[in-house]
Amino acid sequence: MRETRTKEFKEKITNTFLKTVSAFSNYDGGEIFFGVDDNGNIKGLSDVKQACLDIENKINDSIIPQPDYTLELQNNDRTIKLTVKSGLQKPYLYNSKAYKRNDIATIEVDTQELSRLILEGKNIKFEELPCEDQELTFNTLCPKLKECIQIETFNQDTLKTLNLYNNTIGYNNAAGILADKNHFPGIDIVKFGENISVIHKRATFDNISILTVYEKTLEVFKDYYQYEEIQGADRKKVEKIPEAAFREAIANALINRVWDVESQIKVSMFDDRIEIISPGGQPSGITEDEYLSGKLSVLRNRNLANVFYRLGFAEIFGTGITRIKQLYEEGLKQPDFEVSENTIKIVLPVFEKNLNLTEDERKIYKILSKKMLKSISEINPYIPFGKSKTTQLLKEMSKKGIVKIEGRGRGTKYMIK
């Protein structure tokens, strides 16, 4: 056994475990094993029945409000397992402080995180709080709703139906985010050249409707990752990266980010990929595996998600990542998803169709995809076989129409068609 984010070992019973009880109660729950050292070795407790009483008394006397926990004797009554469940009455405080887990360490939450816990304990989302600015206009939202859901009039009752306004608090933050002008951050886009020192374009969309941010971001995307090919009398649109995948990734970033931080969504555009980084990790109450697999969906901003769903911009059922994966099913390179405590990163590679390459051919293809022209001597240091086999594989790939060969002898160069 080893310690994890939801598992901690304590060889002896000291008050330090109470910080972890606070952390587990405030977030996803967890287990504390007493009588086990930091390396997972069972040391045992001299009097487990008294130890159980000590643990119970310390929790009852020190954690406010009362957490939900159970105690269980294990290993022939030599150790104790304390199971702490995620609570509903957050924040759970030890010595007037709230704690969280940071990998295998337990740390005090900052002021902003404490505010989030207080709201969660009251079952209130940030998007539901009163907006600072109550003088809002919706000239962007109005025509889109009329077009998409066929409403004849747009008024305060419309906003009430969408949970953007009520008579007690007026406009909430979700309304502010959708309003024509607001104080919320948006998206920062950078299109890089051959390296990160070369910037071809930079565009920042802040303090405007999230709907406008979404559309302007798509316009930049189309400039760099779509073009037309003339085939006889017809024009064919070519997508270097599937537009549907990019739409899903941007919509997902906008409706599932945390909005209580002054941080923009970062979109980095490269010749071979797009990286999208949004503030806020996976929502509380869901594991990384559940989030990435689409097995379970927890919406951080339900009201915003509802508007995007009604406008046809996104699915409301948390299928965005699954749909992105499906769009790349026939691709040689697959999208990548990284989840950390404070960010979610989605990487969309340029779409290259899987052409039934062998495993060895894939290794060569991967090297060639990083540079237009390469010689045998430039390829070989990065693959586990010799020049003769490399040459033969390149010839086979040429027959398949995947690789183009230029030159002769030592001057022969290879490139992906």
Side-chain angles (χ1 to χ4, degrees):
M1 288 197 302
R2 63 181 182 84
E3 289 188 317
T4 67
R5 185 169 164 271
T6 57
K7 184 186 296 181
E8 183 166 272
F9 302 142
K10 293 291 183 184
E11 189 171 345
K12 298 178 181 179
I13 300 170
T14 63
N15 286 347
T16 57
F17 85 91
L18 294 167
K19 296 180 180 179
T20 305
V21 173
S22 165
F24 287 162
S25 299
N26 284 326
Y27 293 92
D28 300 324
E31 301 168 335
I32 304 175
F33 294 84
F34 295 92
V36 181
D37 68 16
D38 291 341
N39 296 317
N41 301 312
I42 296 174
K43 298 297 183 180
L45 298 165
S46 57
D47 187 342
V48 291
K49 291 185 179 180
Q50 182 60 47
C52 279
L53 288 174
D54 291 344
I55 293 168
E56 188 173 353
N57 289 333
K58 285 179 181 292
I59 293 174
N60 295 343
D61 292 344
S62 304
I63 306 293
I64 301 173
Q66 183 72 40
D68 185 356
Y69 68 93
T70 57
L71 289 165
E72 178 185 350
L73 302 185
Q74 293 191 322
N75 299 305
N76 295 321
D77 296 347
R78 295 180 62 210
T79 65
I80 299 171
K81 181 173 81 168
L82 168 63
T83 303
V84 182
K85 295 182 179 180
S86 177
L88 299 176
Q89 300 176 352
K90 301 168 184 174
Y92 291 82
L93 307 177
Y94 168 58
N95 284 345
S96 302
K97 296 177 181 178
Y99 292 85
K100 68 175 181 178
R101 293 287 278 178
N102 184 12
D103 195 15
I104 61 172
T106 301
I107 62 173
E108 183 182 351
V109 303
D110 58 24
T111 304
Q112 188 173 66
E113 188 66 21
L114 179 59
S115 298
R116 291 173 184 165
L117 287 172
I118 292 170
L119 289 176
E120 190 175 346
K122 295 178 179 179
N123 198 27
I124 299 173
K125 304 288 188 180
F126 175 80
E127 67 166 357
E128 298 169 339
L129 293 176
C131 186
E132 291 180 13
D133 185 2
Q134 290 292 311
E135 299 295 325
L136 302 177
T137 61
F138 299 93
N139 295 322
T140 303
L141 176 62
C142 172
K144 293 186 181 300
L145 286 174
K146 286 184 176 181
E147 177 186 351
C148 295
I149 61 176
Q150 308 300 314
I151 61 171
E152 294 183 2
T153 58
F154 179 90
N155 53 33
Q156 220 165 67
D157 289 335
T158 310
L159 296 172
K160 287 180 180 178
T161 302
L162 295 171
N163 294 318
L164 303 177
Y165 180 91
N166 68 51
N167 293 331
T168 303
I169 68 168
Y171 296 116
N172 59 25
N173 281 327
I177 293 166
L178 287 159
D180 299 320
K181 293 182 179 180
N182 56 51
H183 63 277
F184 293 101
I187 289 181
D188 183 28
I189 304 175
V190 179
K191 174 61 177 73
F192 293 100
E194 55 268 24
N195 57 61
I196 58 173
S197 299
V198 179
I199 296 177
H200 288 168
K201 182 182 179 73
R202 182 158 197 170
T204 303
F205 309 125
D206 280 330
N207 310 131
I208 54 177
S209 172
I210 186 178
L211 304 176
T212 306
V213 171
Y214 176 76
E215 291 183 334
K216 286 183 175 292
T217 302
L218 286 176
E219 289 172 7
V220 177
F221 165 82
K222 291 176 182 180
D223 284 344
Y224 290 103
Y225 297 96
Q226 289 182 359
Y227 61 93
E228 288 187 342
E229 280 186 353
I230 299 175
Q231 298 180 349
D234 299 322
R235 289 178 177 268
K236 179 185 177 183
K237 185 175 79 170
V238 180
E239 297 180 344
K240 296 176 69 176
I241 289 176
E243 181 181 329
F246 184 75
R247 284 178 176 271
E248 284 290 343
I250 291 297
N252 187 70
L254 288 167
I255 63 180
N256 284 314
R257 64 158 291 169
V258 291
W259 285 96
D260 57 351
V261 296
E262 286 295 323
S263 182
Q264 299 158 320
I265 295 168
K266 302 291 185 183
V267 179
S268 300
M269 295 181 167
F270 302 89
D271 289 342
D272 64 340
R273 70 192 186 282
I274 296 177
E275 298 178 358
I276 301 164
I277 301 175
S278 56
Q282 67 201 39
S284 180
I286 182 172
T287 67
E288 181 175 345
D289 177 64
E290 289 168 338
Y291 174 79
L292 295 177
S293 66
K295 295 175 184 175
L296 183 64
S297 173
V298 177
L299 291 172
R300 180 175 275 125
N301 303 294
R302 181 171 294 276
N303 295 334
L304 288 176
N306 179 48
V307 172
F308 265 60
Y309 172 70
R310 287 172 179 266
L311 296 178
F313 292 167
E315 292 289 342
I316 202 170
F317 303 110
T319 58
I321 288 179
T322 302
R323 291 187 69 196
I324 291 171
K325 291 178 178 178
Q326 289 174 346
L327 289 163
Y328 275 87
E329 275 182 344
E330 295 184 0
L332 188 62
K333 297 179 182 178
Q334 296 298 304
D336 188 41
F337 306 90
E338 297 178 18
V339 179
S340 68
E341 183 180 0
N342 297 311
T343 62
I344 292 176
K345 179 180 179 180
I346 299 177
V347 181
L348 303 177
V350 166
F351 188 86
E352 296 171 340
K353 195 166 184 178
N354 189 342
L355 300 169
N356 297 318
L357 299 176
T358 67
E359 190 61 35
D360 288 341
E361 287 172 345
R362 283 174 181 269
K363 293 173 183 176
I364 294 177
Y365 188 95
K366 187 176 180 180
I367 300 302
L368 288 177
S369 66
K370 294 180 180 179
K371 193 173 181 181
M372 290 300 293
L373 288 169
K374 281 189 178 291
S375 63
I376 293 290
S377 60
E378 290 177 301
I379 298 170
N380 262 105
Y382 302 97
I383 50 179
F385 33 80
K387 290 184 179 180
S388 298
K389 183 175 181 179
T390 302
T391 303
Q392 185 59 40
L393 287 169
L394 285 163
K395 287 180 179 178
E396 292 297 323
M397 293 169 74
S398 176
K399 291 178 182 178
K400 292 180 180 180
I402 299 167
V403 169
K404 180 180 179 181
I405 302 176
E406 291 186 355
R408 291 183 176 183
R410 294 184 179 181
T412 304
K413 298 282 187 177
Y414 304 87
M415 64 179 292
I416 294 173
K417 277 193 175 181

